[in-house]
Amino acid sequence: MSPQSTLEVHRNRFGADGVSYQAPGRVNLIGEHTDTSEGFVMPAALDLRTISVLSPRSDSTANVYSVNFAEQVSLDLQHLPCRPRGHWSDYPTSVLWTLEQRGIHLDGFDLTLSGNVPLGSGLSSSASVEVAVAVAALAHAGTALPKPEIAKICQFSENHFVGAQSGIMDPFTSCCGVDHHALLIDCRSLDYEALPLPSEVLLVICNSMVKHSLAGGGEYNARRAEVQAGVRILQQHCPDIRALRDVTEAQLRRCQGEMPENIFRRCLHVVTENARVLQAAEALRSGDFQQFGRIMHEAHVSMRDNYAASCVETDLLVELAARQPGCFGARITGGGFGGCTVNLVAAEHSDKFVHNVRAGYEEATGIQAEIYRSRASAGAGPLLVGQT
Ligand code: ADP
Ligand code: MG
């Protein structure tokens, strides 16, 4: 829904003109499963986003309406729930709860949310909702915070209220995204650098529409446990190691004989992936998309063979993509075991790319992939009326 239409929905429902904000979803270009090892990631904010419209009330009620769910919830700001109830409103409530905990007092308001980030597809509609709520609520409270702080509030909300063990990358990218740039983020220090991704290069995201064992979280958590086991073995030799971020490939190989093969391979993925993110950053600095694409492919192979977190459907999408003219690189993105692939595609070839990948995937699997095209976009902020 356009910003204009969201404003109108808000006016019709709440009888007041509101102020509009937006917060984007994100895709990770490279750096998979490195954030939990305090390493490097390289996401970009998308031009898919959640819009929030807020107008003040004279009592202490917060009414939140979601256009996507066509549903409204009412919250008493003096007695906010302190537990999730497995409902979309957990995400906005979690942010209000965290703000209250940080001593940021909110007077009553009406809020409308409307988003075009696909829900539950790994493009972080959840972070985009949280950040859209946070920027609107903070402006309403008259509190200005640095964007990385807003990201931390949203991560805290999702971890401690909603109960999802998500990392800082999603809300950070939604807050700090830069138009026509990817972000190189150091997940230990939260230092970041914007790297150019000009509009001739599109981010094409192919949703395999399958979700394997990750749904229950079992495999995902098993991988994390294997990495942690690897770190404990490495620490016996080098007590200074805090996380795999501190380990070189040579160091890891020296300890290979002391760890089971599966643990070695999971660690090898993370250690080499950190190195790949830094190489990929260098490629973007020099505008070398061919090189960037080659590194993306290596990252996919490592996710598949070492981290064992790909699946036939995402492997097929990557294979189909690699055959298309104008495709610089393709890889699985997100937690793994299904979900989406991210592709870097020359804009002039993107129509054909989308057509061919969709057709090839459907022919082989019978599944219709959803494919989204986006440019790297700006992070959260106020939305001017009339802006699209
Ligand atoms: P992802 O972040 O990958 O999209 P999640 O499961 O983490 O998937 O978050 C999706 C959830 O976020 C939705 O089920 C819903 O509860 C909430 N959400 C996302 N967009 C909206 C929206 N526009 N309005 C209300 N809730 C939303
Ligand atoms: Mg999410």
Side-chain angles (χ1 to χ4, degrees):
M1 184 177 276
S2 69
Q4 195 60 45
S5 317
T6 311
L7 268 175
E8 272 163 36
V9 168
H10 185 87
R11 189 182 304 121
N12 292 339
R13 174 163 289 266
F14 296 116
D17 283 323
V19 182
S20 301
Y21 305 84
Q22 67 84 26
R26 65 93 190 94
V27 69
N28 193 18
L29 291 177
I30 191 160
E32 219 61 76
H33 296 289
T34 45
D35 58 340
T36 46
S37 291
E38 301 183 19
F40 300 98
V41 293
M42 197 197 289
L46 299 173
D47 56 20
L48 304 166
R49 58 203 181 175
T50 301
I51 293 170
S52 55
V53 179
L54 185 147
S55 57
R57 293 176 59 87
S58 52
D59 57 15
S60 63
T61 299
N63 291 314
V64 185
Y65 176 67
S66 166
V67 172
N68 299 69
F69 287 86
E71 195 181 10
Q72 181 176 320
V73 294
S74 280
L75 302 163
D76 178 350
L77 285 165
Q78 282 165 352
H79 302 97
L80 281 173
C82 49
R83 266 184 207 89
R85 56 187 184 110
H87 188 258
W88 63 264
S89 60
D90 292 344
Y91 293 88
T93 306
S94 72
V95 173
L96 306 179
W97 176 82
T98 304
L99 291 178
E100 187 190 82
Q101 292 210 341
R102 306 259 159 122
I104 296 171
H105 173 73
L106 291 169
D107 293 326
F109 60 86
D110 294 320
L111 182 74
T112 299
L113 295 170
S114 144
N116 62 356
V117 187
L119 274 59
S121 297
L123 302 183
S124 214
S125 68
S126 59
S128 84
V129 164
E130 290 153 5
V131 175
V133 170
V135 290
L138 284 166
H140 176 55
T143 305
L145 290 180
K147 285 184 164 186
E149 283 309 309
I150 302 176
K152 285 185 199 164
I153 285 172
C154 293
Q155 186 197 10
F156 185 91
S157 306
E158 190 156 326
N159 291 168
H160 296 280
F161 186 98
V162 179
Q165 292 316 303
S166 42
I168 188 70
M169 171 172 69
D170 301 359
F172 195 91
T173 312
S174 186
C175 285
C176 303
V178 177
D179 216 10
H180 299 311
H181 287 74
L183 300 183
L184 168 65
I185 306 172
D186 178 337
C187 293
R188 175 171 278 170
S189 64
L190 290 190
D191 285 344
Y192 69 106
E193 179 185 347
L195 298 165
L197 209 55
S199 54
E200 303 84 71
V201 182
L202 282 187
L203 304 169
V204 183
I205 297 144
C206 301
N207 190 342
S208 68
M209 313 301 281
V210 300
K211 203 90 204 124
H212 294 297
S213 44
L214 185 59
E219 288 290 325
Y220 182 82
N221 291 338
R223 297 291 180 281
R224 283 192 66 172
E226 286 167 324
V227 165
Q228 279 155 7
V231 170
R232 282 193 295 274
I233 294 168
L234 287 157
Q235 279 170 337
Q236 289 166 9
H237 295 271
C238 309
D240 289 349
I241 292 170
R242 236 171 71 187
L244 280 186
R245 154 71 180 273
D246 304 310
V247 178
T248 63
E249 187 177 339
Q251 251 175 331
L252 175 65
R253 288 194 184 277
R254 277 199 292 277
C255 293
Q256 182 174 2
E258 292 169 43
M259 44 180 89
E261 176 73 8
N262 60 324
I263 291 186
F264 171 72
R265 282 179 170 269
R266 307 310 175 243
C267 293
L268 184 63
H269 166 74
V270 174
V271 167
T272 56
E273 184 80 351
N274 271 325
R276 278 188 291 273
V277 178
L278 298 179
Q279 286 166 14
E282 205 41 58
L284 279 195
R285 282 187 203 104
S286 51
D288 188 345
F289 301 114
Q290 302 285 357
Q291 171 66 357
F292 191 89
R294 278 191 289 274
I295 303 168
M296 281 175 87
H297 187 73
E298 285 169 21
H300 180 77
V301 169
S302 177
M303 265 289 270
R304 184 187 68 199
D305 298 345
N306 289 331
Y307 210 72
S310 190
C311 62
V312 284
E313 292 87 353
T314 43
D315 287 345
L316 175 65
L317 282 171
V318 166
E319 225 174 87
L320 288 165
R323 281 189 230 146
Q324 306 308 319
C327 176
F328 296 109
R331 57 175 283 275
I332 186 172
T333 184
F337 311 101
C340 294
T341 61
V342 59
N343 306 267
L344 213 58
V345 182
E348 79 252 32
H349 289 282
S350 75
D351 287 342
K352 197 117 186 104
F353 176 93
V354 170
H355 176 270
N356 290 351
V357 171
R358 187 180 276 138
Y361 188 66
E362 189 173 3
E363 193 186 314
T365 62
I367 303 170
Q368 287 192 328
E370 276 179 17
I371 303 188
Y372 322 101
R373 272 183 273 195
S374 176
R375 297 178 195 284
S377 301
L383 202 54
L384 302 174
V385 179
Q387 196 174 321
T388 52

